[in-house]
């Protein structure tokens, strides 16, 4: 049968063998370009494609759907809509799988797999012919992984997020993952609710597919992606199951084709200005502390180094405006109803680089001018009436964290932000699990809980920095304590928690030699984290307890342990970072 799509006059004047775009891009090397293209086309025609279809710009779509990832449960509908947008704009959609990472289904921790997903994304974007790509991610590590991989490749790329889950209702109370997961579990541990109630609320916390409904890492990364200019306008906030989310998907497909035609590559979008806009948004939304690690990693792929002190200076003049849990009261669907990122960016306008380019080819300022009218709402505050006068995150330094540490001050107990106490030390996560609820544990409410060895090299930096309040203190009504670790915590958690202590214990950071009974002082106002132990005492302890670095015999774990960087460099693998430096961000 004749090929109904065969029309050799359609498309380019250049002979197909001479083309370097579309289906002709990146040919498998058999030593004969003509044969390579002939063979490729023969194979793809096995799927029923016509020559006419194969002459179009090819737009890749990453399919990160997985039965293990309900945060990506709307993937089939999103892919269908992205394909529609690509076809409407004259492109050829080609979806392909990459690995998918969900927080609760990633042992030992999703952070261990983020770089693997970024490598998978990077290499599949390089290997397969595409003129642009729509990256579909959502759950915490997936969006950073995709942006890291795409940044390293340099193609035109659009980020599409799956969108947030709906909130549920438990006995008349609105609930959502995962701030309320922790709150209800804390109440259960304290004996305030029984096993039947905790089982009931378990059915309601995740009311639909989609990502966590508070300002956790997924929501933070969605907003950061839009602030970076990497999503279509309004791409961050529509919940996963809404028509708005599907329309964003269709628009993302259209924009990807336009980017391919214009040659609008990712390096023109991921500039220093874009990273500064993203940091402003992270701070102003009281976003997840994990956002700092991921931004450092994405910036590192573009040759920018995160300057923690400059970030802290930025934090001092960036108030928290977004009233989302855990710092505030609302959920992502409320943020969407309040106008989403356009509302927040309008308020932040004086603090933003409005000339930063977005995936549409227009600047952030032009997109804000084109956004719909503003209207009264209760989720985004104005600059003169903030929720919190400074940014949500403060950067600490001191002899316990020479390379820096962070605290989410907007989610901390004001009473503990200037605090000195006795350290109660846990050597690792197993030690913590074994002893934290021991009725014999010697611990008081004003002690400082210290957890070692959950940093990047020791444990791939799990979200274990949210140490539970010891059961006997929780039962006595203690809701918060100063807690310190070299790990991370979920963006959905609340408390006075110092994280990302750098260098971590496993590589010889001072944290390694802290003992129970030592005095530790936190001053958020002075940005200090001090350990009251002399240099001589530290040297004596180092001599008595030499470091045993973690090792692996083979495989991905060996690669991880030998190449992973510290938190301030994004916990990326050193060999994946850009080889040329473009300077520090934010620029002070
Ligand atoms: Fe996927 Fe929270 S578990 S976003």
């Amino acid at each position: 049968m004749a090929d109904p799509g065969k029309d050799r006059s359609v498309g380019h004047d250049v002979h197909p063998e001479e083309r370097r775009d579309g289906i002709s891009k990146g040919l498998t090397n058999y030593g004969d370009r003509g044969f390579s293209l002939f063979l490729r086309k023969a194979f793809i025609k096995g799927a029923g494609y016509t020559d006419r279809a194969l002459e179009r710009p090819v737009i890749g779509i990453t399919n990160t759907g997985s039965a293990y990832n309900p945060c990506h449960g709307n993937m089939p509908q999103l892919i269908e809509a992205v394909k529609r947008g690509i076809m409407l704009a004259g492109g050829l959609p080609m979806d392909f799988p990459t690995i998918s990472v969900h927080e609760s289904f990633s042992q030992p921790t999703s952070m261990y797999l983020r770089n693997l997903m970024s490598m998978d994304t990077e290499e599949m974007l390089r290997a397969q012919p595409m003129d642009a790509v729509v990256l579909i991610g959502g759950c915490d590590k997936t969006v950073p992984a995709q942006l890291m991989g795409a940044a390293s490749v340099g193609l035109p790329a659009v980020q599409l997020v799956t969108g947030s889950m709906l909130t549920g209702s438990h006995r008349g109370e609105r609930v959502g993952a995962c701030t309320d997961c922790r709150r209800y579990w804390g109440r259960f541990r304290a004996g305030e609710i029984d096993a039947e109630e905790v089982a009931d609320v378990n059915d309601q916390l995740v009311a639909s597919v989609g990502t966590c409904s508070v300002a956790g890492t997924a929501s933070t990364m969605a907003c950061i992606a839009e602030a970076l200019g990497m999503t279509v306008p309004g791409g961050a906030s529509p919940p996963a199951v809404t028509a708005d989310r599907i329309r964003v998907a269709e628009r993302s497909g259209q924009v990807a084709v336009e980017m391919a035609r214009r040659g609008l590559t990712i390096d023109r979008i991921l500039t220093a200005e874009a990273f500064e806009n993203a940091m402003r948004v992270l701070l102003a939304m009281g976003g997840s502390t994990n956002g700092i690690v991921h931004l450092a990693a994405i910036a590192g792929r573009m040759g920018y180094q995160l300057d923690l002190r400059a970030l802290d200076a930025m934090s001092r003049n960036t108030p928290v405006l977004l009233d989302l849990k855990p710092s505030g009261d609302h959920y992502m669907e409320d943020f969407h109803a309040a106008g989403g990122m356009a509302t927040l960016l309008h308020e932040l306008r004086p603090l933003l680089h409005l000339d930063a380019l977005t995936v549409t080819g227009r600047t952030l300022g032009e997109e804000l001018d084109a956004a719909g009218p503003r209207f009264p709402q209760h989720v985004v505050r104005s600059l003169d009436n903030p929720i919190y006068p400074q940014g949500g995150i403060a950067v600490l330094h001191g002899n316990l964290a020479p390379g820096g540490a962070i605290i989410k001050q907007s989610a901390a107990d004001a009473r503990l932000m200037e605090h000195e106490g006795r350290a109660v030390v846990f050597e690792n996560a197993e030690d913590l699990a074994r002893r934290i609820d021991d009725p014999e544990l010697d611990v008081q409410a004003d002690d400082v809980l210290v957890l070692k060895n959950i940093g990047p090299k020791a444990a791939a930096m799990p979200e274990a920095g949210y140490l539970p309040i010891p059961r006997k203190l929780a039962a006595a009504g203690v809701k918060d304590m100063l807690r310190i670790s070299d790990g991370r915590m979920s963006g959905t958690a609340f408390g006075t928690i110092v994280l990302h202590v750098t260098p971590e214990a496993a590589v010889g950071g001072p944290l390694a030699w802290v003992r129970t009974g030592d005095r530790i002082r936190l001053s958020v106002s002075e940005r200090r984290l001090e350990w009251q132990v002399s240099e001589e005492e530290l040297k004596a302890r180092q001599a008595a307890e030499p470091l045993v670095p973690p090792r692996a015999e083979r495989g991905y774990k060996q690669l991880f342990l030998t190449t992973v960087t510290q938190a301030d460099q994004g916990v990326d693998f050193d060999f994946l970072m850009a080889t040329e430096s473009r300077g520090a961000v934010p620029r002070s």
Side-chain angles (χ1 to χ4, degrees):
M1 180 182 162
D3 175 355
K6 200 177 278 291
D7 179 357
R8 300 198 186 283
S9 67
V10 171
H12 300 250
D13 296 333
V14 184
H15 189 276
E17 282 179 36
E18 303 304 318
R19 287 179 58 182
R20 294 289 188 275
D21 59 355
I23 210 74
S24 307
K25 199 174 175 189
L27 290 169
T28 313
N29 190 357
Y30 300 111
D32 178 344
R33 262 193 75 77
F35 176 68
S36 294
L37 181 59
F38 173 76
L39 198 63
R40 173 177 285 178
K41 289 178 74 174
F43 277 116
I44 201 71
K45 284 179 177 176
Y49 288 89
T50 62
D51 280 310
R52 178 174 292 185
L54 298 176
E55 285 172 351
R56 289 183 164 202
V58 177
I59 310 298
I61 308 168
T62 61
N63 180 348
T64 52
S66 161
Y68 290 105
N69 197 343
C71 298
H72 294 197
N74 57 345
M75 192 62 57
Q77 294 88 342
L78 292 181
I79 290 176
E80 183 190 334
V82 172
K83 285 183 170 179
R84 185 167 67 242
I86 292 169
M87 295 288 285
L88 283 169
L92 176 65
M94 299 287 279
D95 58 309
F96 61 94
T98 73
I99 60 170
S100 189
V101 179
H102 183 278
E103 290 303 292
S104 291
F105 294 91
S106 301
Q107 194 272 339
T109 165
S110 60
M111 196 62 180
Y112 180 62
L113 300 171
R114 185 203 61 180
N115 296 350
L116 182 65
M117 184 172 176
S118 87
M119 291 168 73
D120 182 359
T121 305
E122 176 178 342
E123 295 308 325
M124 295 320 286
L125 263 55
R126 284 190 201 286
Q128 301 171 138
M130 63 189 82
D131 300 298
V133 63
V134 179
L135 308 157
I136 313 182
C139 196
D140 293 12
K141 304 304 176 295
T142 60
V143 170
Q146 291 179 330
L147 289 174
M148 290 159 70
S152 293
V153 176
L155 278 173
V158 181
Q159 182 73 58
L160 170 63
V161 300
T162 55
S164 60
M165 61 182 70
L166 298 180
T167 51
S169 179
H170 170 67
R171 302 186 185 177
E173 188 191 0
R174 193 180 186 202
V175 292
C178 229
T179 304
D180 296 321
C181 312
R182 295 175 203 288
R183 186 165 58 83
Y184 270 91
W185 190 250
R187 291 182 64 198
F188 177 59
R189 279 175 57 82
E192 292 172 17
I193 61 171
D194 59 18
E196 189 183 347
E197 178 161 5
V198 87
D200 280 354
V201 77
N202 192 252
D203 283 345
Q204 301 305 322
L205 288 162
V206 179
S208 75
V209 297
T211 54
C212 288
S213 51
V214 299
T217 305
S219 304
T220 301
M221 291 310 302
C223 295
I224 279 178
E226 185 166 346
L228 282 169
M230 286 300 303
T231 74
V232 300
S237 63
V241 297
T242 59
D244 277 349
R245 174 54 59 201
I246 300 298
R247 277 188 282 273
V248 164
E250 183 186 298
R251 178 91 178 102
S252 299
Q254 287 178 326
V255 161
V257 178
E258 290 158 14
M259 291 177 83
R261 291 211 168 105
R262 288 187 187 137
L264 180 52
T265 46
I266 197 167
D267 56 301
R268 293 177 57 200
I269 296 169
L270 293 182
T271 58
E273 289 79 10
F275 284 112
E276 287 174 9
N277 286 341
M279 287 173 199
R280 287 280 183 201
V281 164
L282 169 66
L283 295 165
M285 69 178 289
S288 164
T289 48
N290 294 320
I292 294 183
V293 177
H294 299 318
L295 263 176
I298 300 162
R301 296 297 184 99
M302 298 303 298
Y304 297 106
Q305 298 85 47
L306 177 67
D307 182 339
L308 279 171
R309 289 183 196 275
L311 177 69
D312 188 68
M314 181 187 262
S315 178
R316 287 178 187 267
N317 64 15
T318 310
V320 176
L321 302 183
L322 188 53
D323 190 2
L324 283 191
K325 286 175 179 269
S327 298
D329 287 330
H330 295 95
Y331 295 89
M332 278 300 279
E333 60 197 75
D334 307 320
F335 181 40
H336 183 56
M341 281 293 286
T343 306
L344 179 63
L345 294 171
H346 268 304
E347 291 301 335
L348 288 174
R349 230 181 146 111
L351 302 174
L352 296 173
H353 298 289
L354 296 172
D355 52 354
L357 205 56
T358 76
V359 287
T360 62
R362 290 184 291 275
T363 65
L364 186 65
E366 287 170 334
E367 290 298 352
L368 281 179
D369 291 340
R374 300 169 73 183
F375 51 87
Q377 46 77 37
H378 304 289
V379 183
V380 180
R381 300 272 195 93
S382 59
L383 277 177
D384 56 6
N385 180 31
I387 293 165
Y388 194 80
Q390 299 187 352
I393 294 165
V395 179
L396 309 168
H397 283 87
N399 66 349
L400 196 52
I406 59 164
I407 183 168
K408 188 171 181 177
Q409 53 181 340
S410 59
D413 185 338
R415 209 175 34 86
L416 290 170
M417 299 230 275
E418 308 293 321
H419 182 76
E420 184 188 315
R422 182 188 71 128
V424 174
V425 175
F426 300 91
E427 291 300 321
N428 50 44
E430 293 71 35
D431 184 33
L432 176 79
R434 198 166 48 244
R435 294 195 294 125
I436 189 74
D437 288 336
D438 184 342
E440 302 300 314
L441 181 68
D442 175 15
V443 64
Q444 310 295 324
D446 59 356
D447 286 341
V448 179
L449 302 179
V450 176
L451 176 57
K452 304 176 185 177
N453 290 309
I454 59 165
K457 262 201 212 290
M461 221 180 173
E463 291 184 342
Y466 178 74
L467 280 73
I469 303 294
R471 192 187 292 273
K472 67 180 182 184
L473 295 182
V478 176
K479 299 273 187 253
D480 196 7
M481 294 175 71
L482 175 55
R483 290 160 268 181
I484 299 173
S485 76
D486 47 11
R488 298 178 301 117
M489 78 169 179
S490 164
T492 63
F494 190 99
T496 310
I497 300 172
V498 174
L499 302 157
H500 309 183
V501 168
T502 304
E504 63 171 304
V507 300
L511 191 67
W513 289 284
V514 176
R515 291 179 183 166
T516 293
D518 292 348
R519 305 290 297 178
I520 293 176
R521 176 176 165 265
L522 167 71
S523 171
V524 177
S525 65
E526 295 171 21
R527 302 295 200 257
R528 301 299 296 170
L529 184 63
E530 299 290 353
W531 174 39
Q532 293 171 4
V533 160
S534 66
E535 274 294 312
E536 297 70 43
E537 173 64 16
L538 172 58
K539 286 201 178 102
R541 291 186 191 183
Q542 286 171 328
E545 303 161 27
L547 209 63
V548 183
R551 284 190 202 293
E553 289 302 314
R554 59 168 296 282
Y556 177 70
K557 188 168 184 184
Q558 188 188 68
L559 178 73
F560 191 100
L561 289 179
T562 50
T563 64
V564 74
T565 60
Q566 293 290 287
D568 57 341
Q569 292 185 290
V571 194
D572 201 359
F573 294 157
D574 54 12
F575 66 93
L576 293 174
M577 297 166 73
T579 51
E580 281 183 29
S581 173
R582 296 189 190 194
V585 285
R587 296 159 300 181
S588 40

